[in-house]
Amino acid sequence: MPWSSRFDDPIPLPDGRQLVTLMDAGNYITKLPRAEHDAPEWQAAMEALMLVVELGVPTMYARIGVVRALNRHVPRTFNPDRKDHHWGRRKLKRDQ
């Protein structure tokens, strides 16, 4: 797959720009500061880009890698109030 292949959806960057093609993502990663570039998340994103280009795997793999690397400092939060659980509500007739 050529480097000019487009992502299904552009990847928004924190500065407002967007990564549209695989080449854009590769250039963005290589221009990062050395300390950030060597982070495991960015290395995995670059590996995913190489897999897409060399083996022709879907571009979604590279997109996921880049988005995960961009959001690596964002804490994951779990909101237990979002969904009601089904267990514990129903009572059997014999238990009433």
Side-chain angles (χ1 to χ4, degrees):
M1 186 171 286
W3 282 96
S4 61
S5 299
R6 295 172 147 303
F7 290 111
D8 294 333
D9 295 319
I11 301 170
L13 295 174
D15 62 1
R17 293 180 299 149
Q18 291 185 341
L19 302 176
V20 180
T21 64
L22 297 174
M23 181 64 81
D24 294 342
N27 288 338
Y28 180 78
I29 294 171
T30 56
K31 290 179 183 176
L32 288 171
R34 187 66 161 176
E36 194 169 350
H37 181 280
D38 290 339
E41 293 87 0
W42 284 112
Q43 292 298 313
M46 195 58 161
E47 232 176 276
L49 277 171
M50 296 303 291
L51 283 174
V52 169
V53 172
E54 291 175 0
L55 300 178
V57 292
T59 57
M60 184 57 69
Y61 288 106
R63 185 181 196 290
I64 290 169
V66 172
V67 170
R68 287 185 71 180
L70 283 170
N71 294 325
R72 74 180 192 280
H73 294 301
V74 177
R76 296 177 111 192
T77 57
F78 175 71
N79 184 359
D81 299 329
R82 251 181 77 199
K83 183 177 178 184
D84 292 334
H85 301 289
H86 66 280
W87 58 81
R89 282 205 210 166
R90 292 179 153 175
K91 300 287 183 187
L92 295 174
K93 187 149 187 116
R94 67 181 164 134
D95 294 337
Q96 291 178 354

